[in-house]
Amino acid sequence: MGSQVRTQHCVNSEGQRVDNSLCEHLQPLTASPQSCNIQDCPIRWATSSWSECSASFGTGFQLRQVACQQLMADGSVKVLALNYCGLTNRPAARKPCVTDACVDWVPQPWGQCFNRCTGQGMGLQHRHIVCQNRNGTVVPDTYCDRRKRPASRRDCSSEMCDVYWRTGPWRPCTAACGNGFQSRKVDCVHRKNGKVLADQYCVWKRRPMTWQRCNITSCGKGECKDTTHYCTFVKQLKLCLLELYKQRCCESCNGA
């Protein structure tokens, strides 16, 4: 159902339209609206607007509501079963969509400089690099061009990396003759404050040896004596049956 209203014009005695100001002294006619087409409208398909694309990037889909409706003469809307509208011409309720995947590499802030030293007074900084689309969503790295990926690490100046290897004295040789070894303490030390640091801060410098062979000389034939400090344990553990320990701990193995 609709309504209609008739318009009024000022006319002369011959029925010709003239300026409305010439009729201002006259009482205007009543122009009440009247109903028209007082009948129910034909049944039709009604659709809602499309939803946003389901994918924030790449290919997704959009949805909308599809209903069979009829506008009644009294202005109300009647929802009918779908088969009343004929399923052959039913509008689509779903369609594919492609979101403009404007993606780019987004670097995070650099980390601390002294996580790892690479040279005298030089450290190494790290940062995370993420692939992100324009609405801020982080996406897999494969969506971004790897050739344009920013560096995730760089050299930096760090006082923490002003370090050196400090060596201690050699400990006594484990054997008086024959084939022994000796060790020493080696620490990574900060040059300015003398503080011992983790070895990782000095890894860029060649580390001095912490052990070496010593007294690589023959003990002489017929001479029976111990050539290592551990012969007491060798005897207790009954290792004298082994030729190696029998030679090094000759005195202990052959003693009472």
Side-chain angles (χ1 to χ4, degrees), residues 174-178 215 217-229 231 244-255:
T174 58
C177 62
N215 292 339
T217 58
S218 174
C219 293
K221 294 183 179 181
E223 186 178 6
C224 182
K225 65 177 182 178
D226 294 342
T227 60
T228 179
H229 302 292
C231 289
L244 175 64
Y245 293 108
K246 186 177 181 180
Q247 292 179 5
R248 291 187 176 183
C249 301
C250 179
E251 184 178 354
S252 296
C253 289
N254 291 294

mmCIF file of all heavy atoms in Angstrom, residues 174-178 215 217-229 231 244-255:
data_model
loop_
_atom_site.group_PDB
_atom_site.id
_atom_site.type_symbol
_atom_site.label_atom_id
_atom_site.label_comp_id
_atom_site.label_asym_id
_atom_site.label_seq_id
_atom_site.Cartn_x
_atom_site.Cartn_y
_atom_site.Cartn_z
ATOM 1 N N THR A 174 101.058 -34.152 36.317
ATOM 2 C CA THR A 174 100.491 -35.339 36.961
ATOM 3 C C THR A 174 101.474 -36.503 37.010
ATOM 4 O O THR A 174 101.223 -37.493 37.688
ATOM 5 C CB THR A 174 99.228 -35.792 36.207
ATOM 6 O OG1 THR A 174 99.566 -36.055 34.839
ATOM 7 C CG2 THR A 174 98.146 -34.728 36.272
ATOM 8 N N ALA A 175 102.587 -36.405 36.286
ATOM 9 C CA ALA A 175 103.576 -37.488 36.281
ATOM 10 C C ALA A 175 104.975 -36.905 36.381
ATOM 11 O O ALA A 175 105.283 -35.870 35.792
ATOM 12 C CB ALA A 175 103.438 -38.323 35.011
ATOM 13 N N ALA A 176 105.842 -37.589 37.182
ATOM 14 C CA ALA A 176 107.220 -37.135 37.320
ATOM 15 C C ALA A 176 108.033 -37.452 36.080
ATOM 16 O O ALA A 176 109.023 -36.787 35.770
ATOM 17 C CB ALA A 176 107.848 -37.782 38.552
ATOM 18 N N CYS A 177 107.650 -38.479 35.377
ATOM 19 C CA CYS A 177 108.266 -38.827 34.107
ATOM 20 C C CYS A 177 107.254 -39.601 33.290
ATOM 21 O O CYS A 177 106.164 -39.903 33.764
ATOM 22 C CB CYS A 177 109.540 -39.656 34.321
ATOM 23 S SG CYS A 177 109.240 -41.247 35.140
ATOM 24 N N GLY A 178 107.606 -39.919 32.101
ATOM 25 C CA GLY A 178 106.665 -40.639 31.250
ATOM 26 C C GLY A 178 105.737 -39.672 30.536
ATOM 27 O O GLY A 178 106.179 -38.683 29.964
ATOM 28 N N ASN A 215 106.427 -33.534 31.035
ATOM 29 C CA ASN A 215 107.357 -34.609 31.416
ATOM 30 C C ASN A 215 107.287 -35.799 30.463
ATOM 31 O O ASN A 215 107.184 -36.956 30.872
ATOM 32 C CB ASN A 215 107.086 -35.085 32.845
ATOM 33 C CG ASN A 215 107.436 -34.020 33.870
ATOM 34 O OD1 ASN A 215 108.222 -33.118 33.581
ATOM 35 N ND2 ASN A 215 106.858 -34.123 35.053
ATOM 36 N N THR A 217 109.125 -37.793 29.057
ATOM 37 C CA THR A 217 110.463 -38.398 29.048
ATOM 38 C C THR A 217 110.373 -39.823 29.564
ATOM 39 O O THR A 217 109.461 -40.180 30.312
ATOM 40 C CB THR A 217 111.425 -37.600 29.945
ATOM 41 O OG1 THR A 217 110.898 -37.562 31.275
ATOM 42 C CG2 THR A 217 111.603 -36.174 29.425
ATOM 43 N N SER A 218 111.345 -40.611 29.178
ATOM 44 C CA SER A 218 111.372 -42.008 29.615
ATOM 45 C C SER A 218 111.724 -42.079 31.092
ATOM 46 O O SER A 218 112.566 -41.329 31.593
ATOM 47 C CB SER A 218 112.394 -42.791 28.791
ATOM 48 O OG SER A 218 112.530 -44.100 29.305
ATOM 49 N N CYS A 219 111.075 -42.962 31.783
ATOM 50 C CA CYS A 219 111.357 -43.133 33.202
ATOM 51 C C CYS A 219 112.568 -44.044 33.433
ATOM 52 O O CYS A 219 112.984 -44.261 34.577
ATOM 53 C CB CYS A 219 110.139 -43.725 33.915
ATOM 54 S SG CYS A 219 108.731 -42.589 33.948
ATOM 55 N N GLY A 220 113.120 -44.605 32.361
ATOM 56 C CA GLY A 220 114.311 -45.452 32.479
ATOM 57 C C GLY A 220 113.953 -46.885 32.808
ATOM 58 O O GLY A 220 113.035 -47.157 33.569
ATOM 59 N N LYS A 221 114.698 -47.825 32.205
ATOM 60 C CA LYS A 221 114.441 -49.237 32.439
ATOM 61 C C LYS A 221 115.014 -49.658 33.781
ATOM 62 O O LYS A 221 116.076 -49.212 34.187
ATOM 63 C CB LYS A 221 115.062 -50.074 31.326
ATOM 64 C CG LYS A 221 114.412 -49.844 29.972
ATOM 65 C CD LYS A 221 115.017 -50.738 28.914
ATOM 66 C CE LYS A 221 114.353 -50.522 27.568
ATOM 67 N NZ LYS A 221 114.917 -51.393 26.519
ATOM 68 N N GLY A 222 114.347 -50.527 34.445
ATOM 69 C CA GLY A 222 114.810 -51.061 35.708
ATOM 70 C C GLY A 222 114.481 -50.173 36.889
ATOM 71 O O GLY A 222 114.644 -50.585 38.031
ATOM 72 N N GLU A 223 114.034 -48.941 36.654
ATOM 73 C CA GLU A 223 113.702 -48.028 37.739
ATOM 74 C C GLU A 223 112.221 -48.159 38.043
ATOM 75 O O GLU A 223 111.378 -47.946 37.185
ATOM 76 C CB GLU A 223 114.033 -46.595 37.328
ATOM 77 C CG GLU A 223 113.855 -45.594 38.467
ATOM 78 C CD GLU A 223 114.235 -44.183 38.038
ATOM 79 O OE1 GLU A 223 114.520 -43.985 36.840
ATOM 80 O OE2 GLU A 223 114.229 -43.289 38.882
ATOM 81 N N CYS A 224 111.905 -48.532 39.249
ATOM 82 C CA CYS A 224 110.506 -48.774 39.619
ATOM 83 C C CYS A 224 110.062 -47.702 40.600
ATOM 84 O O CYS A 224 110.448 -47.714 41.776
ATOM 85 C CB CYS A 224 110.371 -50.170 40.246
ATOM 86 S SG CYS A 224 108.663 -50.591 40.679
ATOM 87 N N LYS A 225 109.291 -46.764 40.100
ATOM 88 C CA LYS A 225 108.747 -45.712 40.967
ATOM 89 C C LYS A 225 107.434 -45.201 40.378
ATOM 90 O O LYS A 225 107.139 -45.390 39.198
ATOM 91 C CB LYS A 225 109.738 -44.577 41.132
ATOM 92 C CG LYS A 225 110.044 -43.815 39.865
ATOM 93 C CD LYS A 225 110.997 -42.661 40.151
ATOM 94 C CE LYS A 225 111.278 -41.847 38.894
ATOM 95 N NZ LYS A 225 112.171 -40.701 39.182
ATOM 96 N N ASP A 226 106.682 -44.559 41.234
ATOM 97 C CA ASP A 226 105.400 -43.994 40.790
ATOM 98 C C ASP A 226 105.652 -42.705 40.015
ATOM 99 O O ASP A 226 106.470 -41.869 40.420
ATOM 100 C CB ASP A 226 104.498 -43.690 41.991
ATOM 101 C CG ASP A 226 104.063 -44.951 42.722
ATOM 102 O OD1 ASP A 226 104.163 -46.034 42.119
ATOM 103 O OD2 ASP A 226 103.628 -44.834 43.887
ATOM 104 N N THR A 227 104.930 -42.532 38.903
ATOM 105 C CA THR A 227 105.092 -41.327 38.070
ATOM 106 C C THR A 227 103.832 -40.472 38.042
ATOM 107 O O THR A 227 103.737 -39.532 37.258
ATOM 108 C CB THR A 227 105.456 -41.733 36.631
ATOM 109 O OG1 THR A 227 104.408 -42.538 36.091
ATOM 110 C CG2 THR A 227 106.780 -42.483 36.604
ATOM 111 N N THR A 228 102.858 -40.783 38.867
ATOM 112 C CA THR A 228 101.633 -39.984 38.933
ATOM 113 C C THR A 228 101.156 -39.902 40.370
ATOM 114 O O THR A 228 101.510 -40.747 41.203
ATOM 115 C CB THR A 228 100.519 -40.582 38.041
ATOM 116 O OG1 THR A 228 99.348 -39.787 38.167
ATOM 117 C CG2 THR A 228 100.197 -42.003 38.435
ATOM 118 N N HIS A 229 100.374 -38.888 40.669
ATOM 119 C CA HIS A 229 99.905 -38.673 42.040
ATOM 120 C C HIS A 229 98.726 -39.569 42.400
ATOM 121 O O HIS A 229 98.296 -39.576 43.554
ATOM 122 C CB HIS A 229 99.475 -37.204 42.211
ATOM 123 C CG HIS A 229 100.570 -36.223 41.922
ATOM 124 N ND1 HIS A 229 101.683 -36.096 42.712
ATOM 125 C CD2 HIS A 229 100.728 -35.326 40.908
ATOM 126 C CE1 HIS A 229 102.478 -35.158 42.221
ATOM 127 N NE2 HIS A 229 101.916 -34.675 41.116
ATOM 128 N N CYS A 231 98.478 -42.909 42.181
ATOM 129 C CA CYS A 231 98.803 -44.337 42.304
ATOM 130 C C CYS A 231 98.139 -45.002 43.505
ATOM 131 O O CYS A 231 97.855 -46.199 43.485
ATOM 132 C CB CYS A 231 100.321 -44.513 42.378
ATOM 133 S SG CYS A 231 101.129 -44.166 40.784
ATOM 134 N N LEU A 244 99.249 -50.292 31.582
ATOM 135 C CA LEU A 244 99.465 -48.849 31.632
ATOM 136 C C LEU A 244 99.652 -48.372 33.067
ATOM 137 O O LEU A 244 100.605 -47.645 33.385
ATOM 138 C CB LEU A 244 98.278 -48.122 30.978
ATOM 139 C CG LEU A 244 98.297 -46.595 31.069
ATOM 140 C CD1 LEU A 244 99.496 -46.028 30.319
ATOM 141 C CD2 LEU A 244 96.996 -46.014 30.514
ATOM 142 N N TYR A 245 98.755 -48.799 33.955
ATOM 143 C CA TYR A 245 98.839 -48.374 35.352
ATOM 144 C C TYR A 245 99.981 -49.077 36.074
ATOM 145 O O TYR A 245 100.571 -48.531 37.010
ATOM 146 C CB TYR A 245 97.510 -48.647 36.060
ATOM 147 C CG TYR A 245 96.379 -47.797 35.533
ATOM 148 C CD1 TYR A 245 95.378 -48.353 34.753
ATOM 149 C CD2 TYR A 245 96.334 -46.433 35.812
ATOM 150 C CE1 TYR A 245 94.349 -47.573 34.262
ATOM 151 C CE2 TYR A 245 95.307 -45.650 35.323
ATOM 152 C CZ TYR A 245 94.314 -46.216 34.542
ATOM 153 O OH TYR A 245 93.303 -45.448 34.060
ATOM 154 N N LYS A 246 100.298 -50.284 35.640
ATOM 155 C CA LYS A 246 101.401 -51.026 36.258
ATOM 156 C C LYS A 246 102.725 -50.309 36.041
ATOM 157 O O LYS A 246 103.591 -50.277 36.918
ATOM 158 C CB LYS A 246 101.446 -52.433 35.676
ATOM 159 C CG LYS A 246 102.460 -53.352 36.346
ATOM 160 C CD LYS A 246 102.378 -54.747 35.757
ATOM 161 C CE LYS A 246 103.379 -55.676 36.442
ATOM 162 N NZ LYS A 246 103.314 -57.051 35.888
ATOM 163 N N GLN A 247 102.881 -49.683 34.860
ATOM 164 C CA GLN A 247 104.104 -48.944 34.566
ATOM 165 C C GLN A 247 104.145 -47.615 35.305
ATOM 166 O O GLN A 247 105.174 -47.231 35.867
ATOM 167 C CB GLN A 247 104.220 -48.711 33.057
ATOM 168 C CG GLN A 247 104.465 -49.977 32.249
ATOM 169 C CD GLN A 247 104.547 -49.691 30.763
ATOM 170 O OE1 GLN A 247 104.506 -48.533 30.342
ATOM 171 N NE2 GLN A 247 104.683 -50.748 29.965
ATOM 172 N N ARG A 248 103.036 -46.885 35.308
ATOM 173 C CA ARG A 248 103.017 -45.568 35.936
ATOM 174 C C ARG A 248 103.074 -45.657 37.464
ATOM 175 O O ARG A 248 103.564 -44.739 38.117
ATOM 176 C CB ARG A 248 101.761 -44.808 35.512
ATOM 177 C CG ARG A 248 101.764 -44.393 34.056
ATOM 178 C CD ARG A 248 100.584 -43.496 33.747
ATOM 179 N NE ARG A 248 100.630 -43.010 32.371
ATOM 180 C CZ ARG A 248 99.744 -42.164 31.849
ATOM 181 N NH1 ARG A 248 98.742 -41.727 32.602
ATOM 182 N NH2 ARG A 248 99.853 -41.766 30.605
ATOM 183 N N CYS A 249 102.549 -46.724 38.012
ATOM 184 C CA CYS A 249 102.517 -46.887 39.467
ATOM 185 C C CYS A 249 103.321 -48.130 39.867
ATOM 186 O O CYS A 249 102.861 -48.982 40.643
ATOM 187 C CB CYS A 249 101.079 -46.993 39.958
ATOM 188 S SG CYS A 249 100.063 -45.551 39.551
ATOM 189 N N CYS A 250 104.508 -48.210 39.323
ATOM 190 C CA CYS A 250 105.346 -49.389 39.534
ATOM 191 C C CYS A 250 105.600 -49.637 41.021
ATOM 192 O O CYS A 250 105.468 -50.753 41.520
ATOM 193 C CB CYS A 250 106.665 -49.219 38.786
ATOM 194 S SG CYS A 250 107.809 -50.614 38.980
ATOM 195 N N GLU A 251 105.944 -48.560 41.751
ATOM 196 C CA GLU A 251 106.280 -48.703 43.169
ATOM 197 C C GLU A 251 105.071 -49.135 43.979
ATOM 198 O O GLU A 251 105.155 -50.042 44.813
ATOM 199 C CB GLU A 251 106.828 -47.381 43.696
ATOM 200 C CG GLU A 251 107.291 -47.458 45.150
ATOM 201 C CD GLU A 251 107.880 -46.147 45.628
ATOM 202 O OE1 GLU A 251 108.030 -45.216 44.796
ATOM 203 O OE2 GLU A 251 108.189 -46.040 46.824
ATOM 204 N N SER A 252 103.908 -48.515 43.730
ATOM 205 C CA SER A 252 102.704 -48.856 44.490
ATOM 206 C C SER A 252 102.192 -50.239 44.134
ATOM 207 O O SER A 252 101.748 -50.999 45.005
ATOM 208 C CB SER A 252 101.605 -47.820 44.223
ATOM 209 O OG SER A 252 101.989 -46.550 44.691
ATOM 210 N N CYS A 253 102.236 -50.570 42.849
ATOM 211 C CA CYS A 253 101.702 -51.857 42.416
ATOM 212 C C CYS A 253 102.584 -53.028 42.858
ATOM 213 O O CYS A 253 102.102 -54.150 43.038
ATOM 214 C CB CYS A 253 101.535 -51.879 40.900
ATOM 215 S SG CYS A 253 100.183 -50.819 40.301
ATOM 216 N N ASN A 254 103.887 -52.780 43.025
ATOM 217 C CA ASN A 254 104.792 -53.849 43.413
ATOM 218 C C ASN A 254 105.129 -53.818 44.895
ATOM 219 O O ASN A 254 105.855 -54.676 45.386
ATOM 220 C CB ASN A 254 106.094 -53.761 42.605
ATOM 221 C CG ASN A 254 105.857 -54.103 41.142
ATOM 222 O OD1 ASN A 254 105.529 -55.231 40.794
ATOM 223 N ND2 ASN A 254 106.013 -53.105 40.281
ATOM 224 N N GLY A 255 104.604 -52.813 45.603
ATOM 225 C CA GLY A 255 104.892 -52.708 47.023
ATOM 226 C C GLY A 255 104.025 -53.657 47.822
ATOM 227 O O GLY A 255 103.153 -54.361 47.311
#
